[in-house]
PDB file of all heavy atoms in Angstrom:
ATOM      1  N   TYR A   7     -10.995   3.474  12.205  1.00 96.00           N
ATOM      2  CA  TYR A   7     -10.645   2.044  12.301  1.00 96.00           C
ATOM      3  C   TYR A   7      -9.999   1.594  10.983  1.00 96.00           C
ATOM      4  O   TYR A   7     -10.043   2.288   9.980  1.00 96.00           O
ATOM      5  CB  TYR A   7     -11.851   1.189  12.660  1.00 96.00           C
ATOM      6  CG  TYR A   7     -12.958   1.160  11.639  1.00 96.00           C
ATOM      7  CD1 TYR A   7     -12.976   0.235  10.581  1.00 96.00           C
ATOM      8  CD2 TYR A   7     -14.022   2.057  11.714  1.00 96.00           C
ATOM      9  CE1 TYR A   7     -14.003   0.209   9.654  1.00 96.00           C
ATOM     10  CE2 TYR A   7     -15.051   2.025  10.786  1.00 96.00           C
ATOM     11  CZ  TYR A   7     -15.018   1.110   9.747  1.00 96.00           C
ATOM     12  OH  TYR A   7     -16.033   1.059   8.840  1.00 96.00           O
ATOM     13  N   PHE A   8      -9.371   0.397  11.034  1.00 97.00           N
ATOM     14  CA  PHE A   8      -8.740  -0.198   9.932  1.00 97.00           C
ATOM     15  C   PHE A   8      -9.345  -1.538   9.653  1.00 97.00           C
ATOM     16  O   PHE A   8      -9.680  -2.259  10.586  1.00 97.00           O
ATOM     17  CB  PHE A   8      -7.216  -0.381  10.155  1.00 97.00           C
ATOM     18  CG  PHE A   8      -6.494   0.855  10.429  1.00 97.00           C
ATOM     19  CD1 PHE A   8      -6.275   1.327  11.735  1.00 97.00           C
ATOM     20  CD2 PHE A   8      -6.014   1.659   9.395  1.00 97.00           C
ATOM     21  CE1 PHE A   8      -5.590   2.482  12.006  1.00 97.00           C
ATOM     22  CE2 PHE A   8      -5.333   2.835   9.628  1.00 97.00           C
ATOM     23  CZ  PHE A   8      -5.110   3.280  10.944  1.00 97.00           C
ATOM     24  N   SER A   9      -9.507  -1.886   8.368  1.00 96.00           N
ATOM     25  CA  SER A   9      -9.929  -3.225   7.993  1.00 96.00           C
ATOM     26  C   SER A   9      -8.759  -3.897   7.246  1.00 96.00           C
ATOM     27  O   SER A   9      -8.356  -3.391   6.201  1.00 96.00           O
ATOM     28  CB  SER A   9     -11.138  -3.177   7.054  1.00 96.00           C
ATOM     29  OG  SER A   9     -12.285  -2.716   7.716  1.00 96.00           O
ATOM     30  N   LYS A  10      -8.270  -4.988   7.786  1.00 97.00           N
ATOM     31  CA  LYS A  10      -7.280  -5.754   7.036  1.00 97.00           C
ATOM     32  C   LYS A  10      -8.053  -6.719   6.152  1.00 97.00           C
ATOM     33  O   LYS A  10      -8.917  -7.455   6.632  1.00 97.00           O
ATOM     34  CB  LYS A  10      -6.404  -6.554   8.037  1.00 97.00           C
ATOM     35  CG  LYS A  10      -5.341  -7.390   7.334  1.00 97.00           C
ATOM     36  CD  LYS A  10      -4.473  -8.131   8.341  1.00 97.00           C
ATOM     37  CE  LYS A  10      -3.419  -8.978   7.611  1.00 97.00           C
ATOM     38  NZ  LYS A  10      -2.649  -9.768   8.594  1.00 97.00           N
ATOM     39  N   ILE A  11      -7.745  -6.692   4.880  1.00 98.00           N
ATOM     40  CA  ILE A  11      -8.458  -7.490   3.876  1.00 98.00           C
ATOM     41  C   ILE A  11      -7.417  -8.468   3.236  1.00 98.00           C
ATOM     42  O   ILE A  11      -6.420  -7.979   2.694  1.00 98.00           O
ATOM     43  CB  ILE A  11      -9.101  -6.617   2.781  1.00 98.00           C
ATOM     44  CG1 ILE A  11      -9.841  -5.439   3.412  1.00 98.00           C
ATOM     45  CG2 ILE A  11     -10.061  -7.451   1.923  1.00 98.00           C
ATOM     46  CD1 ILE A  11      -9.974  -4.256   2.520  1.00 98.00           C
ATOM     47  N   ASN A  12      -7.710  -9.718   3.285  1.00 98.00           N
ATOM     48  CA  ASN A  12      -6.787 -10.700   2.705  1.00 98.00           C
ATOM     49  C   ASN A  12      -6.984 -10.720   1.182  1.00 98.00           C
ATOM     50  O   ASN A  12      -8.033 -10.344   0.675  1.00 98.00           O
ATOM     51  CB  ASN A  12      -7.012 -12.068   3.297  1.00 98.00           C
ATOM     52  CG  ASN A  12      -6.589 -12.114   4.740  1.00 98.00           C
ATOM     53  OD1 ASN A  12      -5.662 -11.412   5.176  1.00 98.00           O
ATOM     54  ND2 ASN A  12      -7.244 -12.918   5.522  1.00 98.00           N
ATOM     55  N   GLU A  13      -5.911 -11.149   0.478  1.00 97.00           N
ATOM     56  CA  GLU A  13      -5.902 -11.181  -0.957  1.00 97.00           C
ATOM     57  C   GLU A  13      -7.140 -11.873  -1.538  1.00 97.00           C
ATOM     58  O   GLU A  13      -7.527 -12.943  -1.155  1.00 97.00           O
ATOM     59  CB  GLU A  13      -4.628 -11.945  -1.425  1.00 97.00           C
ATOM     60  CG  GLU A  13      -4.444 -12.034  -2.911  1.00 97.00           C
ATOM     61  CD  GLU A  13      -3.145 -12.712  -3.273  1.00 97.00           C
ATOM     62  OE1 GLU A  13      -2.268 -12.935  -2.402  1.00 97.00           O
ATOM     63  OE2 GLU A  13      -2.982 -13.092  -4.447  1.00 97.00           O
ATOM     64  N   ALA A  14      -7.759 -11.175  -2.520  1.00 97.00           N
ATOM     65  CA  ALA A  14      -8.921 -11.662  -3.252  1.00 97.00           C
ATOM     66  C   ALA A  14     -10.196 -11.775  -2.421  1.00 97.00           C
ATOM     67  O   ALA A  14     -11.231 -12.256  -2.925  1.00 97.00           O
ATOM     68  CB  ALA A  14      -8.639 -12.973  -3.996  1.00 97.00           C
ATOM     69  N   VAL A  15     -10.212 -11.364  -1.211  1.00 97.00           N
ATOM     70  CA  VAL A  15     -11.398 -11.390  -0.345  1.00 97.00           C
ATOM     71  C   VAL A  15     -12.300 -10.165  -0.595  1.00 97.00           C
ATOM     72  O   VAL A  15     -11.792  -9.082  -0.696  1.00 97.00           O
ATOM     73  CB  VAL A  15     -11.017 -11.483   1.148  1.00 97.00           C
ATOM     74  CG1 VAL A  15     -12.234 -11.337   2.045  1.00 97.00           C
ATOM     75  CG2 VAL A  15     -10.326 -12.844   1.417  1.00 97.00           C
ATOM     76  N   VAL A  16     -13.593 -10.428  -0.711  1.00 97.00           N
ATOM     77  CA  VAL A  16     -14.576  -9.343  -0.889  1.00 97.00           C
ATOM     78  C   VAL A  16     -15.341  -9.160   0.394  1.00 97.00           C
ATOM     79  O   VAL A  16     -15.833 -10.181   0.964  1.00 97.00           O
ATOM     80  CB  VAL A  16     -15.520  -9.644  -2.053  1.00 97.00           C
ATOM     81  CG1 VAL A  16     -16.549  -8.519  -2.230  1.00 97.00           C
ATOM     82  CG2 VAL A  16     -14.774  -9.896  -3.350  1.00 97.00           C
ATOM     83  N   LYS A  17     -15.512  -7.947   0.875  1.00 96.00           N
ATOM     84  CA  LYS A  17     -16.338  -7.622   2.026  1.00 96.00           C
ATOM     85  C   LYS A  17     -17.441  -6.696   1.588  1.00 96.00           C
ATOM     86  O   LYS A  17     -17.253  -5.823   0.718  1.00 96.00           O
ATOM     87  CB  LYS A  17     -15.503  -6.983   3.114  1.00 96.00           C
ATOM     88  CG  LYS A  17     -14.448  -7.867   3.725  1.00 96.00           C
ATOM     89  CD  LYS A  17     -13.758  -7.184   4.899  1.00 96.00           C
ATOM     90  CE  LYS A  17     -12.775  -8.124   5.578  1.00 96.00           C
ATOM     91  NZ  LYS A  17     -12.215  -7.486   6.781  1.00 96.00           N
ATOM     92  N   GLY A  18     -18.619  -6.820   2.198  1.00 91.00           N
ATOM     93  CA  GLY A  18     -19.721  -5.965   1.879  1.00 91.00           C
ATOM     94  C   GLY A  18     -20.905  -6.842   1.533  1.00 91.00           C
ATOM     95  O   GLY A  18     -20.816  -8.051   1.659  1.00 91.00           O
ATOM     96  N   TRP A  19     -21.935  -6.333   1.056  1.00 97.00           N
ATOM     97  CA  TRP A  19     -22.384  -4.983   0.855  1.00 97.00           C
ATOM     98  C   TRP A  19     -22.899  -4.398   2.205  1.00 97.00           C
ATOM     99  O   TRP A  19     -23.466  -5.094   2.999  1.00 97.00           O
ATOM    100  CB  TRP A  19     -23.572  -4.951  -0.126  1.00 97.00           C
ATOM    101  CG  TRP A  19     -23.214  -5.353  -1.514  1.00 97.00           C
ATOM    102  CD1 TRP A  19     -23.327  -6.525  -2.095  1.00 97.00           C
ATOM    103  CD2 TRP A  19     -22.574  -4.457  -2.502  1.00 97.00           C
ATOM    104  NE1 TRP A  19     -22.901  -6.505  -3.390  1.00 97.00           N
ATOM    105  CE2 TRP A  19     -22.421  -5.223  -3.649  1.00 97.00           C
ATOM    106  CE3 TRP A  19     -22.167  -3.136  -2.491  1.00 97.00           C
ATOM    107  CZ2 TRP A  19     -21.863  -4.704  -4.813  1.00 97.00           C
ATOM    108  CZ3 TRP A  19     -21.598  -2.640  -3.647  1.00 97.00           C
ATOM    109  CH2 TRP A  19     -21.452  -3.438  -4.789  1.00 97.00           C
ATOM    110  N   LYS A  20     -22.656  -3.081   2.335  1.00 97.00           N
ATOM    111  CA  LYS A  20     -23.071  -2.399   3.527  1.00 97.00           C
ATOM    112  C   LYS A  20     -23.521  -0.980   3.142  1.00 97.00           C
ATOM    113  O   LYS A  20     -23.004  -0.372   2.205  1.00 97.00           O
ATOM    114  CB  LYS A  20     -21.929  -2.296   4.533  1.00 97.00           C
ATOM    115  CG  LYS A  20     -22.346  -1.888   5.916  1.00 97.00           C
ATOM    116  CD  LYS A  20     -21.255  -2.133   6.933  1.00 97.00           C
ATOM    117  CE  LYS A  20     -21.744  -1.941   8.341  1.00 97.00           C
ATOM    118  NZ  LYS A  20     -20.757  -2.337   9.343  1.00 97.00           N
ATOM    119  N   LYS A  21     -24.491  -0.484   3.900  1.00 97.00           N
ATOM    120  CA  LYS A  21     -25.018   0.884   3.697  1.00 97.00           C
ATOM    121  C   LYS A  21     -25.254   1.462   5.080  1.00 97.00           C
ATOM    122  O   LYS A  21     -25.951   0.848   5.900  1.00 97.00           O
ATOM    123  CB  LYS A  21     -26.286   0.852   2.882  1.00 97.00           C
ATOM    124  CG  LYS A  21     -27.009   2.188   2.773  1.00 97.00           C
ATOM    125  CD  LYS A  21     -28.168   2.168   1.785  1.00 97.00           C
ATOM    126  CE  LYS A  21     -29.345   1.371   2.293  1.00 97.00           C
ATOM    127  NZ  LYS A  21     -30.532   1.494   1.414  1.00 97.00           N
ATOM    128  N   HIS A  22     -24.732   2.664   5.328  1.00 97.00           N
ATOM    129  CA  HIS A  22     -24.983   3.359   6.588  1.00 97.00           C
ATOM    130  C   HIS A  22     -26.108   4.334   6.394  1.00 97.00           C
ATOM    131  O   HIS A  22     -26.239   4.984   5.399  1.00 97.00           O
ATOM    132  CB  HIS A  22     -23.714   4.091   7.054  1.00 97.00           C
ATOM    133  CG  HIS A  22     -22.666   3.130   7.566  1.00 97.00           C
ATOM    134  ND1 HIS A  22     -22.729   2.644   8.858  1.00 97.00           N
ATOM    135  CD2 HIS A  22     -21.610   2.610   7.011  1.00 97.00           C
ATOM    136  CE1 HIS A  22     -21.706   1.821   9.064  1.00 97.00           C
ATOM    137  NE2 HIS A  22     -21.004   1.781   7.933  1.00 97.00           N
ATOM    138  N   LYS A  23     -26.921   4.465   7.455  1.00 97.00           N
ATOM    139  CA  LYS A  23     -28.121   5.364   7.383  1.00 97.00           C
ATOM    140  C   LYS A  23     -27.735   6.804   7.658  1.00 97.00           C
ATOM    141  O   LYS A  23     -28.354   7.715   7.111  1.00 97.00           O
ATOM    142  CB  LYS A  23     -29.162   4.882   8.367  1.00 97.00           C
ATOM    143  CG  LYS A  23     -29.703   3.496   8.021  1.00 97.00           C
ATOM    144  CD  LYS A  23     -30.573   2.904   9.133  1.00 97.00           C
ATOM    145  CE  LYS A  23     -30.955   1.477   8.804  1.00 97.00           C
ATOM    146  NZ  LYS A  23     -31.596   0.854   9.938  1.00 97.00           N
ATOM    147  N   ARG A  24     -26.744   7.043   8.524  1.00 96.00           N
ATOM    148  CA  ARG A  24     -26.357   8.429   8.940  1.00 96.00           C
ATOM    149  C   ARG A  24     -24.866   8.719   8.709  1.00 96.00           C
ATOM    150  O   ARG A  24     -24.520   9.851   8.589  1.00 96.00           O
ATOM    151  CB  ARG A  24     -26.667   8.601  10.421  1.00 96.00           C
ATOM    152  CG  ARG A  24     -28.135   8.559  10.798  1.00 96.00           C
ATOM    153  CD  ARG A  24     -28.302   8.882  12.310  1.00 96.00           C
ATOM    154  NE  ARG A  24     -27.414   8.126  13.178  1.00 96.00           N
ATOM    155  CZ  ARG A  24     -27.750   6.958  13.750  1.00 96.00           C
ATOM    156  NH1 ARG A  24     -28.911   6.417  13.517  1.00 96.00           N
ATOM    157  NH2 ARG A  24     -26.887   6.339  14.534  1.00 96.00           N
ATOM    158  N   ILE A  25     -24.046   7.691   8.679  1.00 96.00           N
ATOM    159  CA  ILE A  25     -22.617   7.881   8.701  1.00 96.00           C
ATOM    160  C   ILE A  25     -21.999   8.109   7.298  1.00 96.00           C
ATOM    161  O   ILE A  25     -22.360   7.466   6.345  1.00 96.00           O
ATOM    162  CB  ILE A  25     -21.934   6.618   9.324  1.00 96.00           C
ATOM    163  CG1 ILE A  25     -22.253   6.593  10.828  1.00 96.00           C
ATOM    164  CG2 ILE A  25     -20.422   6.583   9.115  1.00 96.00           C
ATOM    165  CD1 ILE A  25     -21.757   5.331  11.524  1.00 96.00           C
ATOM    166  N   THR A  26     -21.069   9.038   7.246  1.00 96.00           N
ATOM    167  CA  THR A  26     -20.215   9.300   6.071  1.00 96.00           C
ATOM    168  C   THR A  26     -18.953   8.480   6.260  1.00 96.00           C
ATOM    169  O   THR A  26     -18.311   8.555   7.267  1.00 96.00           O
ATOM    170  CB  THR A  26     -19.910  10.761   5.919  1.00 96.00           C
ATOM    171  OG1 THR A  26     -21.141  11.474   5.708  1.00 96.00           O
ATOM    172  CG2 THR A  26     -18.979  11.006   4.712  1.00 96.00           C
ATOM    173  N   GLN A  27     -18.603   7.702   5.193  1.00 96.00           N
ATOM    174  CA  GLN A  27     -17.335   6.931   5.188  1.00 96.00           C
ATOM    175  C   GLN A  27     -16.222   7.789   4.557  1.00 96.00           C
ATOM    176  O   GLN A  27     -16.455   8.477   3.579  1.00 96.00           O
ATOM    177  CB  GLN A  27     -17.491   5.674   4.305  1.00 96.00           C
ATOM    178  CG  GLN A  27     -18.743   4.878   4.570  1.00 96.00           C
ATOM    179  CD  GLN A  27     -18.660   4.182   5.899  1.00 96.00           C
ATOM    180  OE1 GLN A  27     -17.678   3.493   6.253  1.00 96.00           O
ATOM    181  NE2 GLN A  27     -19.718   4.361   6.694  1.00 96.00           N
ATOM    182  N   ASN A  28     -15.045   7.705   5.086  1.00 97.00           N
ATOM    183  CA  ASN A  28     -13.884   8.345   4.534  1.00 97.00           C
ATOM    184  C   ASN A  28     -12.768   7.308   4.423  1.00 97.00           C
ATOM    185  O   ASN A  28     -12.005   7.087   5.345  1.00 97.00           O
ATOM    186  CB  ASN A  28     -13.432   9.519   5.453  1.00 97.00           C
ATOM    187  CG  ASN A  28     -14.410  10.690   5.383  1.00 97.00           C
ATOM    188  OD1 ASN A  28     -14.454  11.359   4.414  1.00 97.00           O
ATOM    189  ND2 ASN A  28     -15.144  10.838   6.453  1.00 97.00           N
ATOM    190  N   PHE A  29     -12.726   6.665   3.245  1.00 98.00           N
ATOM    191  CA  PHE A  29     -11.843   5.557   2.973  1.00 98.00           C
ATOM    192  C   PHE A  29     -10.495   6.031   2.427  1.00 98.00           C
ATOM    193  O   PHE A  29     -10.439   6.957   1.630  1.00 98.00           O
ATOM    194  CB  PHE A  29     -12.419   4.609   1.962  1.00 98.00           C
ATOM    195  CG  PHE A  29     -13.676   3.877   2.397  1.00 98.00           C
ATOM    196  CD1 PHE A  29     -14.779   3.942   1.589  1.00 98.00           C
ATOM    197  CD2 PHE A  29     -13.709   3.148   3.553  1.00 98.00           C
ATOM    198  CE1 PHE A  29     -15.971   3.240   1.938  1.00 98.00           C
ATOM    199  CE2 PHE A  29     -14.885   2.439   3.910  1.00 98.00           C
ATOM    200  CZ  PHE A  29     -16.004   2.529   3.102  1.00 98.00           C
ATOM    201  N   CYS A  30      -9.452   5.308   2.840  1.00 98.00           N
ATOM    202  CA  CYS A  30      -8.086   5.553   2.367  1.00 98.00           C
ATOM    203  C   CYS A  30      -7.343   4.212   2.483  1.00 98.00           C
ATOM    204  O   CYS A  30      -7.661   3.434   3.396  1.00 98.00           O
ATOM    205  CB  CYS A  30      -7.418   6.577   3.227  1.00 98.00           C
ATOM    206  SG  CYS A  30      -5.697   6.956   2.882  1.00 98.00           S
ATOM    207  N   VAL A  31      -6.423   3.931   1.590  1.00 98.00           N
ATOM    208  CA  VAL A  31      -5.662   2.700   1.600  1.00 98.00           C
ATOM    209  C   VAL A  31      -4.177   3.004   1.790  1.00 98.00           C
ATOM    210  O   VAL A  31      -3.515   3.289   0.840  1.00 98.00           O
ATOM    211  CB  VAL A  31      -5.925   1.837   0.342  1.00 98.00           C
ATOM    212  CG1 VAL A  31      -5.078   0.564   0.398  1.00 98.00           C
ATOM    213  CG2 VAL A  31      -7.386   1.499   0.223  1.00 98.00           C
ATOM    214  N   PRO A  32      -3.667   2.915   3.053  1.00 97.00           N
ATOM    215  CA  PRO A  32      -2.256   3.217   3.303  1.00 97.00           C
ATOM    216  C   PRO A  32      -1.329   2.047   3.036  1.00 97.00           C
ATOM    217  O   PRO A  32      -0.094   2.202   3.033  1.00 97.00           O
ATOM    218  CB  PRO A  32      -2.237   3.564   4.788  1.00 97.00           C
ATOM    219  CG  PRO A  32      -3.408   2.805   5.365  1.00 97.00           C
ATOM    220  CD  PRO A  32      -4.443   2.749   4.280  1.00 97.00           C
ATOM    221  N   PHE A  33      -1.915   0.847   2.783  1.00 97.00           N
ATOM    222  CA  PHE A  33      -1.042  -0.324   2.476  1.00 97.00           C
ATOM    223  C   PHE A  33      -1.793  -1.229   1.507  1.00 97.00           C
ATOM    224  O   PHE A  33      -2.907  -1.664   1.828  1.00 97.00           O
ATOM    225  CB  PHE A  33      -0.692  -1.073   3.760  1.00 97.00           C
ATOM    226  CG  PHE A  33       0.149  -2.300   3.522  1.00 97.00           C
ATOM    227  CD1 PHE A  33       1.520  -2.183   3.439  1.00 97.00           C
ATOM    228  CD2 PHE A  33      -0.431  -3.549   3.405  1.00 97.00           C
ATOM    229  CE1 PHE A  33       2.308  -3.316   3.186  1.00 97.00           C
ATOM    230  CE2 PHE A  33       0.353  -4.675   3.093  1.00 97.00           C
ATOM    231  CZ  PHE A  33       1.705  -4.561   3.032  1.00 97.00           C
ATOM    232  N   GLY A  34      -1.204  -1.543   0.366  1.00 98.00           N
ATOM    233  CA  GLY A  34      -1.827  -2.483  -0.564  1.00 98.00           C
ATOM    234  C   GLY A  34      -2.734  -1.759  -1.546  1.00 98.00           C
ATOM    235  O   GLY A  34      -2.653  -0.559  -1.764  1.00 98.00           O
ATOM    236  N   ALA A  35      -3.665  -2.574  -2.149  1.00 98.00           N
ATOM    237  CA  ALA A  35      -4.590  -2.045  -3.152  1.00 98.00           C
ATOM    238  C   ALA A  35      -5.961  -2.641  -2.918  1.00 98.00           C
ATOM    239  O   ALA A  35      -6.086  -3.842  -2.687  1.00 98.00           O
ATOM    240  CB  ALA A  35      -4.082  -2.366  -4.555  1.00 98.00           C
ATOM    241  N   VAL A  36      -6.964  -1.799  -2.974  1.00 98.00           N
ATOM    242  CA  VAL A  36      -8.359  -2.169  -2.712  1.00 98.00           C
ATOM    243  C   VAL A  36      -9.240  -1.619  -3.821  1.00 98.00           C
ATOM    244  O   VAL A  36      -9.158  -0.457  -4.159  1.00 98.00           O
ATOM    245  CB  VAL A  36      -8.861  -1.678  -1.320  1.00 98.00           C
ATOM    246  CG1 VAL A  36     -10.307  -2.017  -1.117  1.00 98.00           C
ATOM    247  CG2 VAL A  36      -8.018  -2.252  -0.203  1.00 98.00           C
ATOM    248  N   LYS A  37     -10.100  -2.490  -4.358  1.00 98.00           N
ATOM    249  CA  LYS A  37     -11.129  -2.074  -5.290  1.00 98.00           C
ATOM    250  C   LYS A  37     -12.391  -1.844  -4.448  1.00 98.00           C
ATOM    251  O   LYS A  37     -12.806  -2.730  -3.751  1.00 98.00           O
ATOM    252  CB  LYS A  37     -11.356  -3.129  -6.330  1.00 98.00           C
ATOM    253  CG  LYS A  37     -12.472  -2.794  -7.316  1.00 98.00           C
ATOM    254  CD  LYS A  37     -12.635  -3.917  -8.290  1.00 98.00           C
ATOM    255  CE  LYS A  37     -13.688  -3.665  -9.317  1.00 98.00           C
ATOM    256  NZ  LYS A  37     -13.816  -4.775 -10.283  1.00 98.00           N
ATOM    257  N   ILE A  38     -12.937  -0.622  -4.522  1.00 98.00           N
ATOM    258  CA  ILE A  38     -14.191  -0.256  -3.821  1.00 98.00           C
ATOM    259  C   ILE A  38     -15.285  -0.020  -4.864  1.00 98.00           C
ATOM    260  O   ILE A  38     -15.086   0.721  -5.821  1.00 98.00           O
ATOM    261  CB  ILE A  38     -13.963   0.979  -2.939  1.00 98.00           C
ATOM    262  CG1 ILE A  38     -12.828   0.755  -1.954  1.00 98.00           C
ATOM    263  CG2 ILE A  38     -15.268   1.347  -2.230  1.00 98.00           C
ATOM    264  CD1 ILE A  38     -12.457   1.983  -1.143  1.00 98.00           C
ATOM    265  N   VAL A  39     -16.420  -0.646  -4.624  1.00 98.00           N
ATOM    266  CA  VAL A  39     -17.565  -0.492  -5.509  1.00 98.00           C
ATOM    267  C   VAL A  39     -18.668   0.144  -4.695  1.00 98.00           C
ATOM    268  O   VAL A  39     -18.940  -0.303  -3.572  1.00 98.00           O
ATOM    269  CB  VAL A  39     -18.035  -1.822  -6.132  1.00 98.00           C
ATOM    270  CG1 VAL A  39     -19.239  -1.636  -6.994  1.00 98.00           C
ATOM    271  CG2 VAL A  39     -16.903  -2.488  -6.917  1.00 98.00           C
ATOM    272  N   ILE A  40     -19.284   1.183  -5.264  1.00 98.00           N
ATOM    273  CA  ILE A  40     -20.408   1.836  -4.556  1.00 98.00           C
ATOM    274  C   ILE A  40     -21.635   1.846  -5.494  1.00 98.00           C
ATOM    275  O   ILE A  40     -21.468   1.900  -6.739  1.00 98.00           O
ATOM    276  CB  ILE A  40     -20.041   3.259  -4.069  1.00 98.00           C
ATOM    277  CG1 ILE A  40     -19.607   4.144  -5.205  1.00 98.00           C
ATOM    278  CG2 ILE A  40     -18.990   3.183  -2.997  1.00 98.00           C
ATOM    279  CD1 ILE A  40     -19.324   5.564  -4.746  1.00 98.00           C
ATOM    280  N   TYR A  41     -22.805   1.766  -4.890  1.00 98.00           N
ATOM    281  CA  TYR A  41     -24.014   1.720  -5.640  1.00 98.00           C
ATOM    282  C   TYR A  41     -25.056   2.636  -4.978  1.00 98.00           C
ATOM    283  O   TYR A  41     -25.254   2.614  -3.740  1.00 98.00           O
ATOM    284  CB  TYR A  41     -24.599   0.281  -5.630  1.00 98.00           C
ATOM    285  CG  TYR A  41     -25.999   0.157  -6.132  1.00 98.00           C
ATOM    286  CD1 TYR A  41     -26.324   0.558  -7.440  1.00 98.00           C
ATOM    287  CD2 TYR A  41     -27.036  -0.283  -5.322  1.00 98.00           C
ATOM    288  CE1 TYR A  41     -27.605   0.499  -7.929  1.00 98.00           C
ATOM    289  CE2 TYR A  41     -28.339  -0.384  -5.775  1.00 98.00           C
ATOM    290  CZ  TYR A  41     -28.623  -0.004  -7.068  1.00 98.00           C
ATOM    291  OH  TYR A  41     -29.909  -0.085  -7.559  1.00 98.00           O
ATOM    292  N   ASP A  42     -25.660   3.461  -5.806  1.00 98.00           N
ATOM    293  CA  ASP A  42     -26.638   4.475  -5.329  1.00 98.00           C
ATOM    294  C   ASP A  42     -28.076   3.977  -5.589  1.00 98.00           C
ATOM    295  O   ASP A  42     -28.510   3.920  -6.739  1.00 98.00           O
ATOM    296  CB  ASP A  42     -26.409   5.801  -6.082  1.00 98.00           C
ATOM    297  CG  ASP A  42     -27.247   6.964  -5.533  1.00 98.00           C
ATOM    298  OD1 ASP A  42     -28.036   6.734  -4.590  1.00 98.00           O
ATOM    299  OD2 ASP A  42     -27.094   8.050  -6.058  1.00 98.00           O
ATOM    300  N   ASP A  43     -28.781   3.595  -4.521  1.00 96.00           N
ATOM    301  CA  ASP A  43     -30.174   3.202  -4.669  1.00 96.00           C
ATOM    302  C   ASP A  43     -31.120   4.219  -4.019  1.00 96.00           C
ATOM    303  O   ASP A  43     -32.288   3.962  -3.836  1.00 96.00           O
ATOM    304  CB  ASP A  43     -30.434   1.805  -4.108  1.00 96.00           C
ATOM    305  CG  ASP A  43     -30.427   1.722  -2.605  1.00 96.00           C
ATOM    306  OD1 ASP A  43     -29.893   2.648  -1.941  1.00 96.00           O
ATOM    307  OD2 ASP A  43     -30.934   0.715  -2.050  1.00 96.00           O
ATOM    308  N   ARG A  44     -30.581   5.454  -3.756  1.00 96.00           N
ATOM    309  CA  ARG A  44     -31.414   6.504  -3.178  1.00 96.00           C
ATOM    310  C   ARG A  44     -32.418   6.956  -4.249  1.00 96.00           C
ATOM    311  O   ARG A  44     -32.015   7.409  -5.293  1.00 96.00           O
ATOM    312  CB  ARG A  44     -30.522   7.669  -2.698  1.00 96.00           C
ATOM    313  CG  ARG A  44     -29.540   7.274  -1.641  1.00 96.00           C
ATOM    314  CD  ARG A  44     -28.544   8.366  -1.375  1.00 96.00           C
ATOM    315  NE  ARG A  44     -27.652   8.588  -2.566  1.00 96.00           N
ATOM    316  CZ  ARG A  44     -26.759   9.550  -2.689  1.00 96.00           C
ATOM    317  NH1 ARG A  44     -26.572  10.417  -1.699  1.00 96.00           N
ATOM    318  NH2 ARG A  44     -26.034   9.632  -3.763  1.00 96.00           N
ATOM    319  N   LYS A  45     -33.697   6.883  -3.923  1.00 95.00           N
ATOM    320  CA  LYS A  45     -34.755   7.210  -4.876  1.00 95.00           C
ATOM    321  C   LYS A  45     -34.706   8.663  -5.294  1.00 95.00           C
ATOM    322  O   LYS A  45     -34.997   9.012  -6.431  1.00 95.00           O
ATOM    323  CB  LYS A  45     -36.117   6.886  -4.261  1.00 95.00           C
ATOM    324  CG  LYS A  45     -36.298   5.465  -3.813  1.00 95.00           C
ATOM    325  CD  LYS A  45     -36.329   4.516  -4.957  1.00 95.00           C
ATOM    326  CE  LYS A  45     -36.634   3.096  -4.492  1.00 95.00           C
ATOM    327  NZ  LYS A  45     -35.514   2.208  -4.521  1.00 95.00           N
ATOM    328  N   ASP A  46     -34.312   9.560  -4.378  1.00 95.00           N
ATOM    329  CA  ASP A  46     -34.312  11.023  -4.664  1.00 95.00           C
ATOM    330  C   ASP A  46     -32.974  11.514  -5.231  1.00 95.00           C
ATOM    331  O   ASP A  46     -32.800  12.683  -5.402  1.00 95.00           O
ATOM    332  CB  ASP A  46     -34.673  11.782  -3.417  1.00 95.00           C
ATOM    333  CG  ASP A  46     -33.708  11.556  -2.255  1.00 95.00           C
ATOM    334  OD1 ASP A  46     -32.958  10.554  -2.283  1.00 95.00           O
ATOM    335  OD2 ASP A  46     -33.723  12.340  -1.297  1.00 95.00           O
ATOM    336  N   SER A  47     -32.045  10.616  -5.538  1.00 95.00           N
ATOM    337  CA  SER A  47     -30.755  11.020  -6.054  1.00 95.00           C
ATOM    338  C   SER A  47     -30.758  11.130  -7.563  1.00 95.00           C
ATOM    339  O   SER A  47     -31.371  10.336  -8.243  1.00 95.00           O
ATOM    340  CB  SER A  47     -29.702   9.969  -5.598  1.00 95.00           C
ATOM    341  OG  SER A  47     -28.476  10.203  -6.267  1.00 95.00           O
TER     342      SER A  47
END
């Protein structure tokens, strides 16, 4: 799927329990922030 993100809009925070995300930006520029709260990591 694709997410259209308008200028200066922030989406999130989200965490999937089983799913691996594979992000790519084919149009524009996106800042992605990730945070690891896994206790065993």
Side-chain angles (χ1 to χ4, degrees):
Y7 64 89
F8 300 95
S9 292
K10 181 180 178 183
I11 314 155
N12 292 330
E13 182 177 345
V15 170
V16 180
K17 294 186 176 186
W19 293 99
K20 191 167 191 174
K21 172 172 72 173
H22 287 279
K23 298 171 187 169
R24 297 184 309 269
I25 290 176
T26 297
Q27 310 292 309
N28 290 288
F29 295 126
C30 176
V31 177
F33 179 85
V36 176
K37 177 180 180 179
I38 302 173
V39 178
I40 57 177
Y41 169 61
D42 187 358
D43 73 342
R44 299 171 293 176
K45 304 290 185 254
D46 59 344
S47 170

